[in-house]
Amino acid sequence: LAKTTQPISMDSYEGQEVNITCSHNNIATNDYITWYQQFPSQGPRFIIQGYKTKVTNEVASLFIPADRKSSTLSLPRVSLSDTAVYYCLVGGNTGRRALTFGSGTRLQVQP
Amino acid sequence: SAVISQKPSRDICQRGTSLTIQCQVDSQVTMMFWYRQQPGQSLTLIATANQGSEATYESGFVIDKFPISRPNLTFSTLTVSNMSPEDSSIYLCSVESGTWMTEAFFGQGTRLTVV
């Protein structure tokens, strides 16, 4: 399983764009990159998933360079409600089906 | 998507006792997963539960301590046995979607405090 490294914490202000980068140097060919968000007292929630280049949905964008050894989750114009822990996960669609969570990034959005 | 209901949402238990956590899913799923999240920490997989077979436990977790039942495709239970304060954690049930192999859905969790 590819190990991921993320910043432990980040601070931002409302209305700013937040970029959280995750390193996964030993990502395998069939691995996808997935990001989850966890609010206090809740289970993690799927945000976005990608394999290469750029993926965008209504919540976030995911940028993946050509070598796929890192990825960046971009949250546009954050609000106080985006305060949460964000987890970067790397895994394939074969073999192990359970998720392996790293330490995550605790994002604190200030007014 | 899948909606997962966990019961209880929280409990305070005496050391030496056992607590059974229930996980109900609104659709049939092959695999269900149980995670533990210790205070301020990330999630750690306890075991994978398939219907009709014994659960598969991760290193550091044993069946005698965390027995799991999976009687049908929509329900599972995790029991935390002979509890000690070190078992104080959030326990989460999870299932994967059929759309994305690594997209999973989680219950709200059960916050367990052992005193």
Side-chain angles (χ1 to χ4, degrees):
Chain A
L1 292 173
K3 178 179 168 58
T4 60
T5 303
Q6 314 172 225
I8 293 175
S9 64
M10 294 182 68
D11 292 307
S12 183
Y13 293 94
E14 284 192 292
Q16 289 188 332
E17 178 183 75
V18 171
N19 296 309
I20 305 174
T21 297
C22 177
S23 296
H24 27 80
N25 291 319
N26 59 340
I27 188 170
T29 302
N30 63 346
D31 283 345
Y32 284 78
I33 300 156
T34 311
W35 286 79
Y36 282 79
Q37 174 191 55
Q38 185 179 26
F39 297 115
S41 301
Q42 293 188 26
R45 181 177 73 109
F46 173 92
I47 300 177
I48 197 167
Q49 183 180 71
Y51 184 81
K52 62 180 179 180
T53 63
K54 177 183 175 182
V55 180
T56 298
N57 61 21
E58 65 278 6
V59 177
S61 294
L62 178 60
F63 298 91
I64 305 168
D67 66 5
R68 303 200 328 121
K69 293 184 183 299
S70 67
S71 59
T72 299
L73 175 73
S74 181
L75 304 172
R77 298 179 298 281
V78 295
S79 64
L80 296 176
S81 63
D82 292 315
T83 294
V85 178
Y86 292 82
Y87 294 98
C88 165
L89 289 78
V90 175
N93 57 10
T94 58
R96 180 180 173 89
R97 302 292 284 271
L99 300 180
T100 300
F101 285 83
S103 57
T105 298
R106 189 173 300 273
L107 173 66
Q108 180 69 50
V109 180
Q110 307 280 1
Chain B
S1 66
V3 177
I4 302 173
S5 301
Q6 267 187 250
K7 292 180 181 179
S9 59
R10 59 177 62 227
D11 207 341
I12 301 174
C13 300
Q14 296 291 324
R15 66 175 67 201
T17 63
S18 297
L19 175 72
T20 295
I21 302 167
Q22 299 180 4
C23 177
Q24 179 74 53
V25 188
D26 68 344
S27 58
Q28 294 185 339
V29 292
T30 303
M31 291 185 177
M32 297 178 76
F33 307 94
W34 287 97
Y35 292 83
R36 181 176 73 181
Q37 187 170 30
Q38 295 179 302
Q41 303 297 312
S42 183
L43 285 77
T44 300
L45 180 68
I46 297 173
T48 300
N50 288 336
Q51 194 269 333
S53 62
E54 284 198 7
T56 302
Y57 290 83
E58 297 297 298
S59 176
F61 298 95
V62 295
I63 188 171
D64 290 345
K65 176 68 176 177
F66 298 101
I68 289 172
S69 78
R70 184 76 203 278
N72 57 54
L73 291 173
T74 63
F75 188 79
S76 178
T77 67
L78 169 75
T79 299
V80 186
S81 303
N82 188 25
M83 289 182 286
S84 67
E86 291 71 34
D87 294 319
S88 296
S89 291
I90 299 173
Y91 293 85
L92 296 123
C93 169
S94 173
V95 303
E96 61 181 7
S97 76
T99 305
W100 296 91
M101 284 300 181
T102 55
E103 178 180 359
F105 300 95
F106 289 81
Q108 295 285 82
T110 296
R111 183 179 294 273
L112 170 63
T113 301
V114 183
V115 297

